[in-house]
Amino acid sequence: MIVVVVVAGFSVVVSQTKPATGRPAPVRNRAIANIVREIDARNIEATIRKLVSFGTRNTLSEQNDPKRGIGAARDWLYAEFLKAAAASNGRMTVEKQSYEQAKAARVPQPTMVTNVVATLKGSQPEATDRIYVVSGHYDSMCNTPVDAKCDAPGANDDASGTAAVLEMARVMAKYEFDATIVFMAVAGEEQSLLGSTHFAEQAKEKNWNIDAMFTNDIVGNTLGGNGVRDRGTVRVFSEGVPSNEKPAEATTRRSVGGENDSPSRQLARFIKETSEAFVPQMKVMMVYRRDRYGRGGDHIPFLERGYPAVRFTEVNEEFRHQHQNVRVENGVQFGDLPEFVDFAYVANVARVNAASLAALAWAPSRPKGVTILSQRLSNDTELKWDANREPELAGYEIVWRDTTAAVWTNSKPVGNVTSFTMKGMSKDNYFFGVRAIDKDGNRSPVSYPKPLTRAQPAAANPSL
Ligand SMILES: [Zn+2]
């Protein structure tokens, strides 16, 4: 379909683009370019400074003081997301999602944990229940997560991610997407991912179709403790073997591979391709692991429940500015202060996120039920999948790469069909995938096929 968006009083008709052949490249969707352009580093700076001004945002800190503590930050964020929602024509709603966390390792007494959740409802009936979640955590800590009194400015960890999410909500609320996007600021991250776990658990109980989740955590420092300054790269962490892999899936993976083709890894590739098209000043550094050594993030509760998810983080971290009491020691400034945040860089990370979310929410869903006919010994590769439901679907592309390649290197449009045979290309020699394309050229992430095991013919001997 043609997407018409109204921005600042004039409408933009997104041009139709022919599907690419050869090396895959996302379409130049003009609305996505507009979103990228509208993200403003000055708003991000103002948000980070405001969040720092609450003194501490430790989850155990004051909930009812209007000036200091996590409660003041929560109420301010709620009001800001409401302002963003005012531009959405009623499509964005904002809520405080609260629950009482019982005593736990980093929670000395029962504590209310509140996520601020802004939901921008998708407009296409076939896609509105498909949900993309983007989050940052607004809680902070100093040396220890149970010190509720110390100053914990948390400018980088994670006012940076929270500010990126709020800016995306401001810009994207004006646009109408097919699928639903949830912009979220969570609490309790430093207390062991409490807020994100609560949200993911609720989603699982309600059987929500969360098709992707991004967490932005520590996305603002561009001068590492190693002395390296890098203002043009962001890391995207994705797991290879799914956290919720079942034993039968592990058996298949050991047999024919797939440890580099989880839905989260396909998501990372999608982000990289989208970013190259729309945010060329930024390089996406895919990291093939769930998270850094000894660290975790709000994507993990989603992964554990079977939702594809990735983590965005700066490339070179400065540990003197994370989880530290604010102090000067031997002439060295410790503490997570705003003077160490590169606001223009945070804006670029927000642009990578926003372009990817917009591309996902305007694209058809990933093809479902994708299988590769595995029993027949053949030098052809036979793929099958279920038909997509979206009315503006144009068709599908087969993508492939060498088994040692990091990203999809080739694609072939195959039309609006639900099976295709790659003649003369052996499934033993390449990895294949399938993605959906709509009439505007918006492409879904790639679905990696499962082997289709048919009843074994009596005479066959597959082991030789
Ligand atoms: Zn963090």
Side-chain angles (χ1 to χ4, degrees):
M1 80 180 187
I2 300 290
V3 181
V4 180
V5 292
V6 179
V7 188
F10 60 92
S11 51
V12 176
V13 178
V14 178
S15 60
Q16 248 172 261
T17 310
K18 280 197 300 184
T21 50
R23 199 176 182 285
V27 65
R28 291 292 312 182
N29 180 326
R30 208 187 307 160
I32 298 178
N34 288 341
I35 287 169
V36 165
R37 194 164 43 244
E38 287 173 47
I39 285 177
D40 191 332
R42 290 167 297 184
N43 293 337
I44 285 171
E45 175 174 358
T47 299
I48 291 171
R49 292 192 185 281
K50 184 68 185 180
L51 289 170
V52 169
S53 79
F54 298 115
T56 176
R57 304 185 308 279
N58 186 290
T59 298
L60 311 174
S61 67
E62 191 53 58
Q63 302 247 358
N64 298 312
D65 186 317
K67 290 214 158 60
R68 184 178 174 90
I70 192 158
R74 170 201 65 208
D75 293 347
W76 183 80
L77 283 166
Y78 178 69
E80 291 300 306
F81 278 110
L82 278 178
K83 281 187 210 165
S88 74
N89 250 330
R91 284 174 286 110
M92 181 183 276
T93 53
V94 187
E95 62 161 330
K96 293 179 187 172
Q97 181 194 53
S98 298
Y99 80 101
E100 191 182 74
Q101 171 63 44
K103 250 176 91 163
R106 293 177 163 200
V107 185
Q109 65 260 336
T111 301
M112 290 302 285
V113 174
T114 303
N115 301 326
V116 183
V117 183
T119 304
L120 182 59
K121 207 156 175 43
S123 299
Q124 187 185 81
E126 291 81 4
T128 188
D129 67 347
R130 177 158 44 98
I131 300 168
Y132 299 101
V133 179
V134 61
S135 83
H137 70 86
Y138 71 96
D139 64 311
S140 65
M141 65 179 275
C142 54
N143 276 3
T144 154
V146 293
D147 186 340
K149 299 288 179 202
C150 62
D151 279 344
N156 190 25
D157 186 11
D158 182 33
S160 66
T162 305
V165 172
L166 178 57
E167 181 62 2
M168 283 184 248
R170 280 180 181 138
V171 169
M172 295 173 79
K174 300 192 290 284
Y175 291 80
E176 197 171 327
F177 296 94
D178 294 345
T180 293
I181 305 175
V182 172
F183 304 88
M184 178 161 76
V186 302
E189 196 272 352
E190 306 291 8
Q191 259 62 30
S192 298
L193 316 177
L194 298 179
S196 55
T197 300
H198 180 69
F199 184 95
E201 188 58 31
Q202 294 283 306
K204 192 81 200 165
E205 275 174 24
K206 293 171 188 160
N207 213 13
W208 283 0
N209 173 21
I210 296 178
D211 205 48
M213 187 274 181
F214 301 175
T215 184
N216 287 271
D217 196 353
I218 311 182
V219 291
N221 175 66
T222 52
L223 178 58
N226 55 4
V228 176
R229 183 179 286 282
D230 185 347
R231 305 187 70 201
T233 312
V234 63
R235 286 184 291 179
V236 174
F237 289 84
S238 66
E239 67 179 16
V241 176
S243 292
N244 68 329
E245 184 182 56
K246 294 179 180 67
E249 293 165 338
T251 302
T252 300
R253 176 173 53 78
R254 289 187 197 103
S255 170
V256 292
E259 60 278 353
N260 195 6
D261 281 280
S262 68
S264 300
R265 186 65 43 84
Q266 308 304 348
L267 185 59
R269 293 187 179 112
F270 181 92
I271 292 165
K272 184 178 169 61
E273 278 188 18
T274 306
S275 181
E276 283 170 0
F278 293 102
V279 197
Q281 69 271 31
M282 285 294 275
K283 183 167 164 263
V284 169
M285 175 182 174
M286 292 195 294
V287 182
Y288 284 2
R289 46 171 57 112
R290 189 167 75 172
D291 210 321
R292 300 102 77 224
Y293 281 88
R295 311 291 293 268
D298 289 319
H299 56 316
I300 293 175
F302 289 83
L303 292 170
E304 288 171 342
R305 288 161 182 80
Y307 297 125
V310 297
R311 174 191 183 121
F312 288 81
T313 299
E314 68 208 23
V315 179
N316 299 290
E317 293 180 67
E318 169 51 279
F319 301 107
R320 291 177 296 192
H321 302 153
Q322 293 180 19
H323 301 182
Q324 296 283 352
N325 286 10
V326 179
R327 66 192 189 281
V328 177
E329 224 172 70
N330 300 323
V332 175
Q333 178 72 60
F334 286 77
D336 192 351
L337 297 165
E339 65 218 58
F340 301 121
V341 174
D342 185 335
F343 306 110
Y345 174 80
V346 182
N348 276 331
V349 174
R351 291 182 180 110
V352 174
N353 274 260
S356 303
L357 286 167
L360 287 166
W362 271 319
S365 65
R366 292 179 280 138
K368 302 291 184 299
V370 182
T371 54
I372 196 161
L373 212 65
S374 64
Q375 292 297 353
R376 192 184 318 200
L377 299 179
S378 164
N379 285 311
D380 297 339
T381 296
E382 298 165 78
L383 293 151
K384 286 185 193 302
W385 55 92
D386 301 338
N388 274 48
R389 295 183 300 160
E390 296 86 357
E392 85 284 20
L393 187 89
Y396 301 88
E397 276 182 351
I398 308 290
V399 296
W400 67 95
R401 67 182 203 271
D402 285 343
T403 63
T404 53
V407 296
W408 299 107
T409 52
N410 295 80
S411 68
K412 180 184 177 65
V414 296
N416 197 352
V417 296
T418 55
S419 65
F420 194 80
T421 299
M422 297 294 289
K423 292 269 186 212
M425 291 192 75
S426 169
K427 59 189 173 294
D428 301 327
N429 296 352
Y430 302 96
F431 287 137
F432 289 94
V434 183
R435 61 184 170 192
I437 315 176
D438 71 14
K439 287 173 181 151
D440 301 324
N442 297 306
R443 289 169 171 75
S444 76
V446 170
S447 293
Y448 184 72
K450 292 183 178 8
L452 181 67
T453 44
R454 283 190 175 158
Q456 198 66 26
N461 185 349
S463 63
L464 302 174

